[in-house]
Amino acid sequence: MKQEEYAENEAYWNKRSEIFDTQILKTYEDAYRKTIDNTKKYLKETDKALDIGCGTGVTTIELAGSVAAMTAVDTAPEMLRQAVEKTEKAGVHNIKYIQGDMFMEELEPGTFDTVMIFNVLLYMPDQDAAMKRLKELVKPGGYLAVAADCLKNSLTKEAIRKWYRSHTGKMPFVEFYSPESLEKMIEAYGFEIVEREKLFLHPVNYFLVARRCEE
């Protein structure tokens, strides 16, 4: 991500942190609950996991109890501040929070048993670079867990709002997937889809788990 794009992204999500838990999470509460429950099935107590775009720690904190170590990254310092505060209150001690993105050198290739990227991948301007990096981070045989709004051909208010705002510079880039195009993209980078579910219908919030193929 270019420096200018990174700064714009950070500013946008810092602002969104003000309403994330009170408004956004309330709307998608059931989808987040299913995301957590579905992901837990693929985690082991010995795993090292990575949560990309962890936000206020909604999924991070709950999933940390299923792994040995959790690394969580986000570009927005205000999102991370809230996540750290929640983590301390919850008495969870195996999460390492880092301000940054998935391309940081601090994240070593092939070191994570499971990489999670929930409701973040669609905001990546360079989808090819994002997928190559995700494959690099996941161990061969490890898992990639994704949740993403699939807005292609959707006439919902949310899809129209995001199309307008992203095309007028009022919010970051948005990729308009369909469930089929999202799956096809992930498979093209050497992953095998092992689970899929529509968590929210209007617009579709699509969850999937993909296993990185052995090479």
Side-chain angles (χ1 to χ4, degrees), residues 40-50 63-71 94 110-114 139 142-143:
K40 279 184 178 180
K41 295 183 293 184
Y42 297 90
L43 302 178
K44 302 188 298 294
E45 292 182 354
T46 56
D47 281 355
K48 290 178 63 178
L50 171 65
L63 292 173
S66 298
V67 299
M70 174 76 76
T71 301
N94 66 334
T111 58
F112 298 101
D113 300 284
T114 298
K139 290 180 179 180
Y143 294 100

Side-chain angles (χ1 to χ4, degrees), residues 34-189:
K34 290 179 181 177
T35 295
I36 292 165
D37 291 342
N38 288 350
T39 304
K40 279 184 178 180
K41 295 183 293 184
Y42 297 90
L43 302 178
K44 302 188 298 294
E45 292 182 354
T46 56
D47 281 355
K48 290 178 63 178
L50 171 65
D51 190 2
I52 297 170
C54 64
T56 64
V58 175
T59 57
T60 317
I61 296 168
E62 289 209 42
L63 292 173
S66 298
V67 299
M70 174 76 76
T71 301
V73 301
D74 202 282
T75 59
E78 182 56 27
M79 287 281 196
L80 288 176
R81 184 195 66 76
Q82 293 185 37
V84 170
E85 187 176 282
K86 288 185 197 176
T87 301
E88 291 174 350
K89 287 182 178 179
V92 177
H93 304 291
N94 66 334
I95 304 174
K96 179 182 180 181
Y97 288 105
I98 309 172
Q99 184 185 348
D101 61 26
M102 71 167 76
F103 299 102
M104 292 183 300
E105 292 183 1
E106 190 169 350
L107 304 177
E108 297 182 13
T111 58
F112 298 101
D113 300 284
T114 298
V115 173
M116 298 163 287
I117 183 164
F118 299 138
N119 303 302
V120 171
L121 185 57
L122 75 163
Y123 299 115
M124 302 300 295
D126 190 336
Q127 294 278 293
D128 176 62
M131 286 304 309
K132 286 178 178 176
R133 180 59 167 160
L134 289 170
K135 181 180 180 181
E136 184 179 61
L137 291 169
V138 180
K139 290 180 179 180
Y143 294 100
L144 174 67
V146 179
D149 283 344
C150 291
L151 304 171
K152 188 175 182 180
N153 301 323
S154 173
L155 294 177
T156 62
K157 289 182 179 179
E158 181 67 8
I160 294 169
R161 184 184 71 84
K162 284 185 176 178
W163 186 92
Y164 173 77
R165 288 178 63 82
S166 65
H167 281 74
T168 56
K170 294 182 178 181
M171 72 177 295
F173 169 89
V174 179
E175 180 70 30
F176 278 64
Y177 305 118
S178 66
E180 294 78 17
S181 69
L182 178 61
E183 286 198 16
K184 185 176 180 180
M185 178 182 72
I186 290 172
E187 289 174 333
Y189 286 86

Side-chain angles (χ1 to χ4, degrees), residues 143 186-187 190-195 209-213:
Y143 294 100
I186 290 172
E187 289 174 333
F191 290 92
E192 176 188 7
I193 309 297
V194 296
E195 181 169 342
V209 174
R211 180 180 174 274
R212 180 181 165 183
C213 300

